[in-house]
Amino acid sequence: MNPAAPHTTTPATTAPVSEQDLFSDHTLAHTEEVYGELRSLGTVVYLPANDAYAITRYEAIRTANSDPATFSSRQVAFNPQMNEILSGTSLASDPPQHGKLRAILTDNLSPRAMRSLKGTIYADADTLVRELVEKRTFDGMADLAVAFPVSVVLDLIGVQGDKRDRILPWGEAAFNLLGPLNQRARESFPLAGELFKWTHEEMTGDGLAEGSIGHAVWQAAERGDIAPESFGYLVHQILAAGMDTTIATIGNLIQLLADHPDQYAKLRRDPSKIPAAVAETLRFRTPAPGFGRVTTRDVEVDGVTIPAGSQVALLYGSGNRDELKYENPDVFDIDRNPVDHLGFGYGIHGCAGQGLAKLEINGLVESWIRHVDSFTVTDVIPRLNNFSRPYASMQVTITA
């Protein structure tokens, strides 16, 4: 365990200071603990290790996300190279550019579009779960949490051929590059470069299945609805971000239900609680717990002035454990049903793919509670990533 980080408190209009590093091995492995310490210092905490102002409280995070004119997404990553690469994506743009780019995603990922996929996704989920039940023991990450969303998203994007095997390591590398240029990020550059080269230089709409979202984005570029270069950016964004957080959430939910058999029994008795269980998982163990912003002007947040041009870290995972927002926030309780959680972000940059993520997770859980009376999870091994919080593996054993 890392020793308690020293901190000092400076005058009223400046932020308390913590020596914690948001991207250290210790923080990545003990995110909720570190975020709790930062939250106890104040709503805004300055982190010299990251040269960033962390916003820790739920209401302040929502307010910042509601004000893109002040909290710009031009610095969503914590290094200048990645921010330059992301320029031109909906993730790293502000209004009015953001609206046109975002519309291409939301048109294809809208609730109406997702409804047409529900039958197929639920049927595929049931097939996978029944196969795993027959195995009795399996790797909950590779065989369940990874296998299902990777298959669904690649079909949705229209990715075909040998590139399918490369997508998962590409996506994980892209998430590492959203942090600072630490060792994890530097080691990820070659893989992330392969993804960038494919999406921006090699891929064409002809290589994506007709009727897929990827093909639709290419057609939008061909019509002139978006700039030609935006095609690669948008597909890059969907592929990099469309799976990792869903994978992490499935793994988190399986582990949490195994660790809380009373909650699993409650869920089996009342399957209508599935959406609440998913929401509570996203609150309790946020899969992408922090995102970057940059201030365009001096702004006061809860009595602290953040100077113009400052890197800001919106700690969604901290806001989701804010005791001023949620009663007993460190308790996993599916009856809480926190529909207002920050697990998908908030505001104009809220996760465009959350409808698909919910379909995938809900479909798996519905089949899981139907076929599995009880199960255990052991040998959980985390995988440290600068931006997401996945597990590398976990052994799932179906006991009944």
Side-chain angles (χ1 to χ4, degrees):
M1 296 290 287
N2 201 34
H7 63 269
T8 59
T9 302
T10 48
T13 57
T14 56
V17 177
S18 171
E19 298 306 318
Q20 291 285 12
D21 177 353
L22 293 178
F23 304 98
S24 70
D25 287 1
H26 173 73
T27 297
L28 301 189
H30 304 90
T31 301
E32 288 81 16
E33 174 188 323
V34 172
Y35 282 11
E37 176 191 316
L38 296 178
R39 199 166 53 249
S40 71
L41 296 178
T43 301
V44 179
V45 181
Y46 180 67
L47 306 172
N50 310 118
D51 191 19
Y53 290 83
I55 300 183
T56 69
R57 293 283 179 184
Y58 179 94
E59 291 298 340
I61 294 168
R62 287 220 351 171
T63 299
N65 269 325
S66 301
D67 184 9
T70 300
F71 293 90
S72 169
S73 293
R74 294 195 309 272
Q75 285 183 202
V76 70
F78 288 78
N79 69 82
Q81 290 91 329
M82 195 61 180
N83 283 317
E84 183 177 350
I85 290 171
L86 289 171
S87 177
T89 69
S90 65
L91 180 67
S93 60
D94 299 319
Q97 180 191 28
H98 172 268
K100 181 174 287 190
L101 294 170
R102 173 81 175 202
I104 302 299
L105 293 177
T106 53
D107 286 350
N108 290 279
L109 295 171
S110 68
R112 177 179 297 180
M114 291 301 99
R115 278 197 296 272
S116 66
L117 299 173
K118 181 176 179 180
T120 300
I121 288 176
Y122 274 51
D124 289 346
D126 195 64
T127 297
L128 176 60
V129 169
R130 285 188 285 105
E131 290 173 353
L132 294 176
V133 167
E134 291 180 3
K135 292 177 67 174
R136 310 296 284 186
T137 299
F138 55 91
D139 185 331
M141 295 306 298
D143 299 332
L144 179 67
V146 171
F148 189 61
V150 165
S151 176
V152 169
V153 170
L154 294 189
D155 286 345
L156 197 63
I157 299 299
V159 178
Q160 305 174 91
D162 60 354
K163 292 295 189 292
R164 293 176 71 96
D165 294 334
R166 303 293 294 157
I167 293 298
L168 186 62
W170 280 352
E172 185 178 348
F175 263 76
N176 266 324
L177 287 175
L178 290 172
L181 295 181
N182 56 15
Q183 182 178 349
R184 266 181 296 277
R186 290 192 296 271
E187 291 174 350
S188 296
F189 262 115
L191 277 175
E194 291 178 16
L195 172 60
F196 189 86
K197 181 179 180 181
W198 177 58
T199 55
H200 291 73
E201 299 176 15
E202 301 174 354
M203 184 177 60
T204 66
D206 294 335
L208 301 174
E210 288 194 21
S212 66
I213 287 179
H215 197 265
V217 174
W218 175 69
Q219 290 178 317
E222 290 287 290
R223 291 192 303 267
D225 294 346
I226 58 174
E229 61 270 19
S230 293
F231 164 59
Y233 281 126
L234 288 168
V235 173
H236 185 170
Q237 183 178 336
I238 297 169
L239 289 172
M243 295 179 296
D244 289 68
T245 52
T246 304
I247 288 168
T249 300
I250 293 170
N252 289 339
L253 181 54
I254 291 297
Q255 188 199 18
L256 287 168
L257 291 176
D259 288 348
H260 299 84
D262 59 321
Q263 300 295 302
Y264 185 61
K266 188 186 300 182
L267 191 59
R268 295 196 72 228
R269 288 193 301 269
D270 185 0
S272 70
K273 294 182 182 293
I274 290 174
V278 175
E280 177 67 349
T281 299
L282 286 160
R283 182 201 70 82
F284 189 80
R285 194 167 290 158
T286 308
F291 273 83
R293 296 289 189 269
V294 61
T295 50
T296 60
R297 62 179 179 87
D298 290 358
V299 58
E300 185 175 309
V301 178
D302 200 14
V304 170
T305 298
I306 302 177
S310 296
Q311 176 77 65
V312 173
L314 300 180
L315 301 187
Y316 297 152
S318 177
N320 280 334
R321 294 288 189 105
D322 186 354
E323 59 277 0
L324 300 181
K325 169 63 179 177
Y326 297 109
E327 185 176 354
N328 299 320
D330 295 328
V331 173
F332 178 72
D333 180 7
I334 67 172
D335 285 330
R336 188 191 306 273
N337 193 20
V339 294
D340 54 356
H341 66 82
L342 298 170
F344 287 127
Y346 179 76
I348 64 171
H349 286 284
C351 177
Q354 60 183 280
L356 174 62
K358 290 174 184 176
L359 264 186
E360 294 175 272
I361 301 168
N362 290 357
L364 279 178
V365 177
E366 182 178 293
S367 295
W368 189 262
I369 64 175
R370 184 166 60 248
H371 295 299
V372 178
D373 295 332
S374 61
F375 67 102
T376 61
V377 170
T378 57
D379 300 327
V380 178
I381 300 174
R383 174 180 286 123
L384 301 186
N385 185 283
N386 281 336
F387 236 68
S388 62
R389 296 295 184 273
Y391 292 116
S393 64
M394 61 173 67
Q395 179 172 296
V396 178
T397 301
I398 295 172
T399 53

